[in-house]
Amino acid sequence: MAVKELLCVHMLIVLFLFFPAQRSAGQDKVFTVVIDPGHGGKDPGAVGATAKEKDINLAVSLKLGKLIGDSYGDVKVVYTRDRDRFIDLNERANIANKYKADLFISIHTNAVAKGSVRGTETYTLGLARTEENLRVAMMENSAILLEDDYMQKYEGFDPKSSESYIIFEFMQNKHMEQSISFASEIQKGFVACKRVDRGVRQAGFLVLRKTSMPSVLIELGYISTPAEEQYMKSAQGQNQLAKAIYDAFVKYKREYDRKQGGLPADAATSRKEITETPSTAHAGQVVYKVQIVASNKKLASNAKELKGYKNVDFYVENGMYKYTYGESTSMEEIRTIRRNLIKDFKDAFIISFKDGKKVK
Ligand SMILES: [Zn+2]
């Protein structure tokens, strides 16, 4: 799967290189962003000492939509709700699909039962790799328990059972790269307004699962932490949070427009980043590589994480970019390569591929 995706990246780059003037038929189409304020109506979401998640989500969503609407003539803003009402999770995704949205932004507020946690997180769809991320998905997905016939509608999915979440393991997510890139910009925006950055994460959110466009779920902060609750319920806090997401939107839209124009800004750099073409010379053979770094975002060829190494390859797995160095059909040779890498990448380990697929 990983190398297949890599091949796709190559094919795209080749297309861009050969058809630089090719314009998408949808170029004159209006860009549609669907903003989804989590919870509402009978579902308050997380509840703080004085505020409710549903109200914070709605306020920030409306402010974000207004910022976008006021600045862009070519962007249509659609809300899944613009007042205090309950909407099924499936219906939220349906709205985005019905409008053929180009971007889906679900806005939420986090909480913990114990302790005082601060900070913002932005999620893309994927398999949760930590208990903490799984807990957030469980909490948000539990909204379906308030829906009629949820067992039927969600095919027996139990939001509180970790076993249910296996469905997110084998899921194809063709918009992952764009979603992660947008999520990273959102987190940068939050850092700029001095929020604690808890990073871009992945987890199995039902609301993201059925959307067929790049999509993110934002956790604005912890309503269970008094200082964060105060900030999020204040007009100033809500304005800053909306502005941070808006700034990320501006960058995302700029990049989108450049690609629509047929001249992708990063075609040249992407080409430099991917310096190794997947080889077809080893059909049927096991090919070994050394994995050196994993990242939740795509790294530039000169990224400090790669420590100056050139000819670094990558593949994508479970929402992570995994960088490899070296390639050999000889276990002995790859072990030597790994030994030489250990000084710079102490956790480097050997992985194997066969016919483009990662194998055990
Ligand atoms: Zn929520």
Short mmCIF file of all heavy atoms in Angstrom, two decimals, residues 39 53 57 108-109 140, ligand 1:
data_model
loop_
_atom_site.label_atom_id
_atom_site.label_comp_id
_atom_site.label_asym_id
_atom_site.label_seq_id
_atom_site.Cartn_x
_atom_site.Cartn_y
_atom_site.Cartn_z
N HIS A 39 -21.59 18.80 18.38
CA HIS A 39 -22.69 18.70 19.36
C HIS A 39 -23.81 19.71 19.07
O HIS A 39 -23.92 20.20 17.97
CB HIS A 39 -22.15 18.81 20.79
CG HIS A 39 -20.94 17.96 20.98
ND1 HIS A 39 -21.01 16.61 21.26
CD2 HIS A 39 -19.61 18.23 20.84
CE1 HIS A 39 -19.77 16.11 21.32
NE2 HIS A 39 -18.91 17.07 21.07
N GLU A 53 -19.53 22.85 25.88
CA GLU A 53 -18.78 22.70 24.65
C GLU A 53 -19.58 23.17 23.43
O GLU A 53 -19.05 23.86 22.56
CB GLU A 53 -18.37 21.22 24.46
CG GLU A 53 -17.67 21.03 23.14
CD GLU A 53 -17.33 19.60 22.77
OE1 GLU A 53 -17.52 18.69 23.60
OE2 GLU A 53 -16.87 19.40 21.63
N ASN A 57 -18.11 25.73 20.58
CA ASN A 57 -17.92 25.25 19.21
C ASN A 57 -18.68 26.12 18.21
O ASN A 57 -18.16 26.49 17.15
CB ASN A 57 -18.43 23.80 19.07
CG ASN A 57 -17.68 22.83 19.97
OD1 ASN A 57 -16.61 23.14 20.47
ND2 ASN A 57 -18.25 21.65 20.16
N HIS A 108 -14.43 21.25 18.00
CA HIS A 108 -14.79 20.67 19.30
C HIS A 108 -13.97 21.27 20.43
O HIS A 108 -13.01 22.00 20.20
CB HIS A 108 -14.57 19.15 19.26
CG HIS A 108 -15.57 18.43 18.42
ND1 HIS A 108 -16.63 17.75 18.93
CD2 HIS A 108 -15.67 18.34 17.06
CE1 HIS A 108 -17.35 17.25 17.95
NE2 HIS A 108 -16.80 17.58 16.79
N THR A 109 -14.36 20.87 21.64
CA THR A 109 -13.67 21.31 22.85
C THR A 109 -13.41 20.07 23.68
O THR A 109 -14.29 19.23 23.83
CB THR A 109 -14.58 22.30 23.61
OG1 THR A 109 -14.92 23.38 22.73
CG2 THR A 109 -13.90 22.85 24.84
N GLU A 140 -15.92 11.81 21.61
CA GLU A 140 -16.65 12.52 20.55
C GLU A 140 -17.66 11.60 19.86
O GLU A 140 -18.76 12.01 19.53
CB GLU A 140 -15.67 13.11 19.53
CG GLU A 140 -14.67 14.12 20.10
CD GLU A 140 -15.34 15.38 20.67
OE1 GLU A 140 -16.58 15.44 20.74
OE2 GLU A 140 -14.60 16.31 21.07
ZN ZN B 1 -16.92 17.39 21.03
#
